[in-house]
Amino acid sequence: MAEKKVVIVGGGVAGATLAKNIQNQANVTLIDPKEYFEIPWASLRGLVEPSFAERTVINHREYFKKGDLVVSSAVNITETEVFTADGQQIAYDYLVIATGHAEPIPKTRTERLDQYKAGEFCMAENAKIKSASSILIVGGGPTGVELAAEIAVDFPDKKVTIVHKGVRLLEYIGQKASSKTLKWLKSKKVDVKLEQSVEVRSSSEENKTYETSNGETIEADAHFLCIGKPVGSAWLRETLLKDDLDGDGRIKVDENLRVKGRSNILAIGDITDVQEIKQGVYATGHAQLVAKNLKLLIEGGGKENKLGTYKAQPPISIVSLGRKTAVAQFPFITVLGRLPGMIKSGDLFVGKTRKDLGLEPNVKKS
């Protein structure tokens, strides 16, 4: 019997994990516009320590050795095929969509590492951080908070200001974690302005001043936008799945992480409408479940009733505050300090993630 064809669109956390886990059970094709997987929650460390990116930017071929790799973007799908921007038509028996968030980044690992080394990272530049004496960060979610903390710890003489339109930092987790984080940032002399926005394009280039929606003036040598990235589903809006997207552009899935009403199209990671925090650890969980379910579906023999189900996870989050400290929210306790910092901040789970992909945790490859 011919091997079943599984096509995975998207090589982020969810797609990479699935490709690694399913490559020996089917004829797998991974479609991704870049030739590498990047550990997303570790990218901010690369801003202040560019060499760190050597371990976090991983060629797909390092862990995905058996299937086909198509370095292109998916542009359309039918009931049986995926069409790519470079003109390929790839047949599938099972399709898994894992396109996460849209983000313009380079195609090759070398180009990506060069961005870090040259200080050209799309959201912020290491060189800009070093040369600036004052820095404005727009956005008080996990990205903005972690970047502010990394700068405050590594460059304590720099004036750092966060402007956030929400009523508190880290709104996706609990009030207690937000309060602890705010107190910690203030202890590092980070100025946090809540319930305000700032239009960075209207700043004065001559004196680098920015005006907030409350009329406050902020002087900063550099600014970094740390606001949410758009969901990577725009390409689906003219396909057969156009009616399977919710109002936020996320794909509606059932308890087996199949697109609702479809038996052979699944979705995993941040692209799904699963009501939980969009984090790498949960995307990994999606991929692991779908890997098991695909193995059952491929084996056949009426195993539908054995498919694993996914339940939205409680809000657990660890936000790094520099290299040694972190704030952690667990279901029954919120902690800030060295203990959660030991869990995440030192290595940012990079070693574990590499091991999960079957790689040496500390090997650097250029």
Side-chain angles (χ1 to χ4, degrees):
M1 188 173 71
E3 263 193 317
K4 293 292 187 182
K5 297 181 177 70
V6 175
V7 174
I8 303 166
V9 181
V13 178
T17 302
L18 179 60
K20 166 71 171 63
N21 288 347
I22 199 72
Q23 61 184 324
N24 294 316
Q25 272 70 44
N27 179 350
V28 180
T29 300
L30 175 63
I31 301 172
D32 194 50
K34 58 193 187 327
E35 67 176 25
Y36 57 89
F37 161 65
E38 180 169 3
I39 301 173
W41 56 84
S43 60
L44 293 176
R45 179 66 55 81
L47 295 180
V48 293
E49 186 185 340
S51 62
F52 192 73
E54 290 278 350
R55 293 168 60 226
T56 66
V57 182
I58 302 162
N59 271 327
H60 289 310
R61 278 304 183 202
E62 288 191 54
Y63 67 89
F64 179 58
K65 299 177 183 294
K66 191 177 177 189
D68 295 324
L69 175 63
V70 175
V71 182
S72 185
S73 298
V75 294
N76 197 6
I77 56 174
T78 68
E79 301 281 0
T80 57
E81 290 181 308
V82 178
F83 295 78
T84 61
D86 63 357
Q88 296 188 59
Q89 294 175 231
I90 302 160
Y92 69 84
D93 295 297
Y94 296 97
L95 170 63
V96 185
I97 300 171
T99 45
H101 290 88
E103 186 178 5
I105 51 178
K107 185 175 184 177
T108 71
R109 179 177 186 269
T110 300
E111 289 174 303
R112 185 58 163 159
L113 291 179
D114 285 346
Q115 282 190 334
Y116 282 105
K117 291 170 186 171
E120 295 174 359
F121 184 58
C122 65
M123 186 171 51
E125 298 101 345
N126 178 259
K128 198 159 74 171
I129 291 172
K130 285 185 174 178
S131 64
S133 60
S134 54
I135 296 167
L136 167 64
I137 294 173
V138 182
T143 304
V145 166
E146 289 194 347
L147 178 57
E150 292 275 356
I151 296 171
V153 169
D154 280 21
F155 305 101
D157 293 334
K158 298 185 186 297
K159 170 65 175 172
V160 180
T161 303
I162 296 177
V163 175
H164 181 56
K165 66 181 180 181
V167 296
R168 60 185 176 90
L169 299 172
L170 304 175
E171 290 162 293
Y172 72 105
I173 53 178
Q175 175 71 54
K176 199 170 183 181
S178 296
S179 299
K180 286 178 179 287
T181 301
L182 179 61
K183 185 177 180 182
W184 185 90
L185 287 169
K186 286 184 174 179
S187 77
K188 300 297 180 186
K189 298 184 170 53
V190 175
D191 186 11
V192 180
K193 299 182 185 297
L194 298 173
E195 297 185 79
Q196 298 186 56
S197 59
V198 62
E199 180 56 71
V200 294
R201 284 175 295 186
S202 64
S203 68
S204 166
E205 287 299 319
E206 293 78 32
N207 54 12
K208 296 285 187 178
T209 59
Y210 303 82
E211 186 173 332
T212 74
S213 55
N214 283 10
E216 292 188 50
T217 298
I218 300 168
E219 293 187 7
D221 299 324
H223 75 265
F224 304 120
L225 283 175
C226 295
I227 52 180
K229 302 166 191 168
V231 176
S233 63
W235 69 282
L236 291 169
R237 293 192 181 280
E238 300 301 322
T239 72
L240 60 89
L241 296 186
K242 63 180 182 292
D243 296 326
D244 297 303
L245 304 176
D246 69 10
D248 296 320
R250 301 188 190 278
I251 300 174
K252 293 179 275 190
V253 293
D254 65 17
E255 60 181 5
N256 306 125
L257 297 180
R258 292 192 281 196
V259 178
K260 285 186 176 176
R262 299 182 183 275
S263 61
N264 69 331
I265 303 179
L266 305 91
I268 55 177
D270 290 359
I271 195 89
T272 69
D273 70 338
V274 176
Q275 296 300 301
E276 64 188 2
I277 297 172
K278 302 301 180 183
Q279 287 192 315
V281 63
Y282 300 143
T284 300
H286 292 190
Q288 290 169 341
L289 177 81
V290 164
K292 292 175 183 175
N293 284 349
L294 281 173
K295 289 171 189 176
L296 289 171
L297 290 168
I298 288 166
E299 288 170 10
K303 294 186 177 179
E304 287 269 334
N305 61 344
K306 294 184 178 179
L307 293 180
T309 59
Y310 188 83
K311 290 187 173 69
Q313 298 299 298
I316 297 173
S317 182
I318 302 177
V319 178
S320 294
L321 300 174
R323 295 173 186 271
K324 296 180 179 179
T325 305
V327 60
Q329 175 176 295
F330 302 111
F332 303 108
I333 190 172
T334 300
V335 183
L336 184 148
R338 291 293 182 97
L339 180 59
M342 288 170 64
I343 297 172
K344 179 182 178 184
S345 295
D347 186 53
L348 299 173
F349 298 129
V350 170
K352 180 184 184 304
T353 304
R354 289 181 61 89
K355 282 176 70 175
D356 289 346
L357 289 173
L359 307 175
E360 289 292 328
N362 296 310
V363 171
K364 293 182 179 180
K365 290 194 175 185
S366 297

